[in-house]
């Protein structure tokens, strides 16, 4: 605010929702994060909205679905796509926690960038209206569900590796299904994800395969 900026964009996450009551998740859905990462992002959202409204600064909170793409880290919060890609480049078997029917909304990093550009240069967001539900909050997602089993099969086919797909115990705290509605961002910013899953997964795997 001291820098006299007109707009602030905050990168948040689908993890703020926790276990969904219904799908796809709209921005007005309850927020009950199940892990410290989701909780910290939710606290950041609240703090940002409070400060920006007090200073009459426009803002947007972008809740990302499961982002994937080249250069993604596999350590810590690294996504399943990057972990599968790295394993396949080494000829390792793929391990899925649970039965693999759990679903995620996978969004390519290029679509995330285009969403952020749209938010930064968009028209009035009306996020100052504190009484409007989920004012200033936008899902950045595809709205499409992909199972972890399907993801593993696709990447195995893309890689050409004849590795085994194994199943391990479910991880405590993992969300069963997570799909976000991108409707609000489409209506306000005229934005939508355009990357096709198979093509984007291929680009991602090829990047990992070139890393040696």
């Amino acid at each position: 605010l001291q820098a006299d900026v007109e707009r602030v964009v905050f990168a948040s996450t689908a993890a703020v929702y926790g276990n969904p009551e219904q799908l796809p998740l709209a921005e007005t859905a309850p927020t009950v994060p199940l892990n410290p990462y989701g909780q910290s992002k939710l606290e950041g959202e609240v703090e940002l909205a409070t400060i920006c409204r007090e200073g009459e600064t426009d803002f947007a909170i972008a809740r990302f679905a499961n982002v994937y793409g080249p250069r993604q880290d596999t350590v810590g919060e690294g996504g399943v796509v990057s972990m599968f890609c790295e394993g396949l480049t080494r000829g390792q078997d793929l391990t899925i926690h649970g039965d693999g029917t759990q679903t995620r909304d996978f969004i390519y990093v290029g679509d995330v960038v285009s969403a952020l550009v749209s938010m930064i240069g968009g028209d009035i967001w009306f996020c100052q209206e504190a009484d409007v539900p989920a004012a200033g909050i936008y899902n950045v997602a595809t709205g499409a569900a992909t199972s972890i089993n399907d993801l593993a099969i696709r990447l195995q086919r893309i890689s050409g590796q004849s590795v085994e797909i194994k199943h391990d115990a479910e991880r405590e705290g993992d969300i069963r299904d997570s799909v976000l509605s991108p409707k609000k961002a489409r209506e306000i910013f005229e934005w939508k994800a355009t990357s096709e899953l198979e093509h984007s997964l291929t680009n991602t795997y090829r990047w990992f395969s070139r890393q040696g």
Side-chain angles (χ1 to χ4, degrees):
L1 300 182
Q2 292 178 350
D4 196 29
V5 297
E6 295 181 355
R7 295 173 177 172
V8 177
V9 177
F10 179 74
S12 190
T13 172
V16 301
Y17 292 115
N19 279 317
E21 295 180 357
Q22 63 180 39
L23 297 172
L25 284 156
E27 289 83 353
T28 52
T31 49
V32 189
L34 302 181
N35 53 48
Y37 174 67
Q39 183 62 42
S40 67
K41 285 293 189 179
L42 183 57
E43 291 172 359
E45 288 185 12
V46 173
E47 188 69 15
L48 175 73
T50 300
I51 293 173
C52 286
R53 288 195 178 103
E54 288 176 351
E56 298 184 354
T57 299
D58 212 357
F59 68 93
I61 292 168
R63 289 178 177 169
F64 300 151
N66 285 65
V67 184
Y68 71 95
R71 298 179 179 82
Q72 185 174 18
D73 201 342
T74 59
V75 179
E77 290 294 331
V80 64
V81 174
S82 59
M83 288 187 279
F84 280 178
C85 284
E86 186 171 90
L88 286 166
T89 61
R90 298 175 179 176
Q92 299 173 345
D93 293 336
L94 302 183
T95 299
I96 297 173
H97 295 279
D99 61 12
T101 59
Q102 60 267 39
T103 58
R104 295 292 183 269
D105 187 334
F106 292 104
I107 183 164
Y108 189 58
V109 65
D111 286 322
V112 171
V113 171
S114 70
L116 293 175
V117 170
S118 297
M119 290 180 181
I120 292 169
D123 292 331
I124 297 172
W125 300 331
F126 303 111
C127 58
Q128 299 294 333
E129 302 178 30
D131 58 334
V132 176
I137 301 174
Y138 306 93
N139 288 333
V140 177
T142 67
T146 301
S147 74
I148 305 303
N149 283 335
D150 182 29
L151 177 70
I153 292 170
R154 284 173 180 263
L155 283 171
Q156 183 190 45
R157 181 176 64 249
I158 288 168
S159 71
Q161 298 284 344
S162 58
V163 301
E164 184 178 351
I165 299 176
K166 301 179 178 180
H167 291 268
D168 204 347
E170 292 185 12
R171 294 184 297 191
E172 185 177 353
D174 272 3
I175 297 170
R176 178 69 191 177
D177 298 290
S178 179
V179 182
L180 280 59
S181 170
K183 181 180 179 181
K184 185 178 178 182
R186 183 169 62 247
E187 292 176 347
I188 301 299
F189 303 113
E190 298 183 350
W191 169 87
K192 68 175 182 178
T194 59
S195 299
E196 195 274 325
L197 182 62
E198 190 84 7
H199 178 72
S200 299
L201 287 176
T202 300
N203 285 344
T204 303
Y205 175 76
R206 286 175 177 171
W207 183 86
F208 277 90
S209 67
R210 292 194 297 268
Q211 304 315 300

